[in-house]
Amino acid sequence: PPATRIDVNIPAAVMTTYENGKIINVRRVVVGKPDAATPNLSGSFSDLILNPPWNVPQGIAEREILPKGGAYLREHDMYVDEGRVVQRPGPKASLGRVKFDMQNPHAIYLHDTPSKAAFAANERHGSHGCVRVGDAVGYARGLATASGLQSEFDAKLAKGSTGAVRLQTAMAVRLM
């Protein structure tokens, strides 16, 4: 594996960051629940997406969101665009304030969440497959700072609209 990487231990729901082969950060994560398990895969990301919208996967939209009706959509700042449910960025956004835009064919990525209490639980298998990262904003700020981009990160985050910060070097990720 690359000496600088992120490893997510799915059964333990723990994320470990290595820099030049040494552990520099360990944090709790929330991973996929048994019926929507986080897959084993490898990928990487260069972009930190700030204030991301959530393009709800069709299956989740059909099973869990659309049956609840228009009032639910409005309450959760969602709308339907060309048959797809989208959640606007903001304090209720399921992806929180930052998404680590990992490239892979499964649309699985690491992201923030407004549900912070889940990180204190011993059982942290509760997502639809993506990896929710504890203190994701602080973690992303650290990555941006290491790339000399902290002021750009902070300015775009504070703006509240969707924006991206591109890291100098792609970060490898292994979900295992």
Side-chain angles (χ1 to χ4, degrees), residues 119-160:
F119 299 109
N122 287 329
E123 173 54 46
R124 295 184 306 281
H125 294 81
S127 80
H128 287 98
C130 285
V131 178
R132 301 176 192 161
V133 178
D135 186 22
V137 171
Y139 185 77
R141 182 176 285 117
L143 294 175
T145 299
S147 286
L149 302 167
Q150 182 179 347
S151 18
E152 179 184 349
F153 176 89
D154 288 338
K156 288 183 177 182
L157 185 67
K159 189 175 179 186

Side-chain angles (χ1 to χ4, degrees), residues 16 24 29 36 46 57 71 83 85 88 102-103 134 154-155 157 174:
T16 304
I24 62 165
V29 295
S46 296
V85 175
R88 291 178 184 87
M102 193 167 92
Q103 302 303 304
D154 288 338
L157 185 67
R174 299 187 312 163

Side-chain angles (χ1 to χ4, degrees), residues 60-140:
I60 296 171
E62 290 171 3
R63 284 188 313 274
E64 300 177 30
I65 295 173
L66 292 172
K68 295 177 180 174
Y72 180 88
L73 290 171
R74 287 186 296 281
E75 181 183 338
H76 291 88
D77 213 8
M78 295 178 172
Y79 63 95
V80 178
D81 180 32
E82 297 182 12
R84 299 293 311 248
V85 175
V86 179
Q87 185 178 44
R88 291 178 184 87
K92 296 178 185 177
S94 295
L95 299 185
R97 301 195 63 207
V98 65
K99 172 178 140 181
F100 305 83
D101 202 16
M102 193 167 92
Q103 302 303 304
N104 66 81
H106 306 286
I108 296 292
Y109 41 84
L110 289 70
H111 65 85
D112 187 19
T113 179
S115 304
K116 309 296 187 202
F119 299 109
N122 287 329
E123 173 54 46
R124 295 184 306 281
H125 294 81
S127 80
H128 287 98
C130 285
V131 178
R132 301 176 192 161
V133 178
D135 186 22
V137 171
Y139 185 77

